[in-house]
Amino acid sequence: MITSKSNELIKRIAALKEKKGRREQGAYLIEGVKQVREALAGGLPVRQIVLSERYEGEPFSVAAEKLLAVSAPVFAKLSEEASPQGVLAVLERPACVPVPPQRNALLLDGIADPGNLGTILRTANGAGYSDVYLKNCTDAFSPKCVRAAMSGIFFVRLHIGGEEEILSALRGVPLVCADMAGESMFSFSPPERFCLVIGSEANGVSPSVRARCAYTVSVPLRKSCESLNAAVAAGILMYRLLKK
């Protein structure tokens, strides 16, 4: 059992809480019994499972060399939870190179809040948008985003890149821009295959991406409501467009 917070392996794992550490190691952290079990069940590449000395749950069916026992104070150094369950895991970060989508997709343009991004990824997985393109977004593998995404981040393909790289991968797929000035989602008839574009919380879809969109659609609101949270609007539109 590791009891020192200055242990080199512990310092490497703790570094994954920061973007620089995740980039250098090509890995990220997940935490909690449910997330770790779902990652294992989904066949994700798990490098290490860290167990607190206080963990009393069911054992994990992995090779012994992947299990790391640590003291409670050491686990507290690694954990991001207010009430930790005593288990976290180090997962390999996927390459996320933009490639063409397999079916209807989502393009997120400048989502800055990790909670919003995680919620959108969770909803995309639930609604069946298996390809999600990220342009100028917050880090999808940050602990806060991973926590908000739940297992959604395991089951969507993330494509991260610059604008032209992403739009090249989406060539031939009609882009549907979400904007308050667009056609009402209740009358809009989307093409059979499409990519829904959701813009940043503050500025919406960037002008350069908007210019490449074939359609614009809106969620009608009462006059007393100026706008919706980006994750809420994305969820409503994802499901509504699939019903048409």
Side-chain angles (χ1 to χ4, degrees):
M1 177 185 295
I2 295 178
T3 59
S4 172
K5 296 179 183 179
S6 60
N7 176 278
E8 286 302 317
L9 178 55
I10 297 303
K11 289 196 290 186
R12 280 181 58 81
I13 295 174
L16 295 176
K17 295 195 284 185
E18 304 299 329
K19 186 174 183 178
K20 179 182 177 182
R22 294 191 292 272
R23 183 177 63 251
E24 291 177 348
Q25 298 184 45
Y28 68 103
L29 291 174
I30 63 172
E31 185 169 357
V33 174
K34 184 175 185 293
Q35 285 217 45
V36 174
R37 292 204 182 281
E38 288 185 343
L40 291 171
L44 273 73
V46 176
R47 291 184 183 177
Q48 196 107 57
I49 294 178
V50 183
L51 297 172
S52 167
E53 62 182 328
R54 295 178 180 173
Y55 177 73
E56 297 179 344
E58 294 294 320
F60 294 89
S61 299
V62 296
E65 60 266 23
K66 289 191 174 183
L67 294 174
L68 181 67
V70 302
S71 66
V74 170
F75 191 88
K77 174 184 174 67
L78 303 177
S79 175
E80 290 278 306
E81 299 288 351
S83 301
Q85 297 178 359
V87 57
L88 57 81
V90 177
L91 270 63
E92 290 185 17
R93 182 189 183 279
C96 301
V97 177
V99 296
Q102 297 173 336
R103 51 182 67 88
N104 289 335
L106 195 63
L107 167 55
L108 304 180
D109 183 9
I111 298 296
D113 182 85
N116 277 342
L117 179 56
T119 299
I120 294 172
L121 296 179
R122 182 179 183 181
T123 307
N125 179 48
Y129 289 72
S130 56
D131 289 279
V132 182
Y133 297 80
L134 306 180
K135 169 186 170 276
N136 294 336
C137 291
T138 188
D139 185 9
F141 298 99
S142 70
K144 186 174 181 180
C145 182
V146 170
R147 185 164 56 247
M150 298 297 287
S151 60
I153 198 167
F154 304 154
F155 303 114
V156 298
R157 292 199 308 169
L158 295 179
H159 309 257
I160 304 174
E163 182 173 309
E164 289 306 317
E165 186 181 12
I166 287 174
L167 292 178
S168 177
L170 289 167
R171 185 176 292 114
V173 180
L175 302 185
V176 179
C177 175
D179 187 88
M180 294 305 300
E183 181 181 347
S184 168
M185 67 178 188
F186 296 115
S187 60
F188 176 68
S189 294
E192 183 176 346
R193 187 180 183 214
F194 62 88
C195 176
L196 175 63
V197 183
I198 303 293
S200 73
E201 298 89 344
N203 302 309
V205 178
S206 61
S208 56
V209 172
R210 186 191 301 269
R212 307 283 280 271
C213 292
Y215 306 92
T216 306
V217 64
S218 67
V219 180
L221 301 176
R222 297 174 63 189
K223 291 182 179 180
S224 57
C225 181
E226 180 181 340
S227 63
L228 293 176
N229 171 275
V232 172
I236 292 171
L237 288 169
M238 276 191 272
Y239 276 99
R240 178 65 190 182
L241 297 188
L242 290 181
K243 291 181 66 176
K244 299 294 285 185

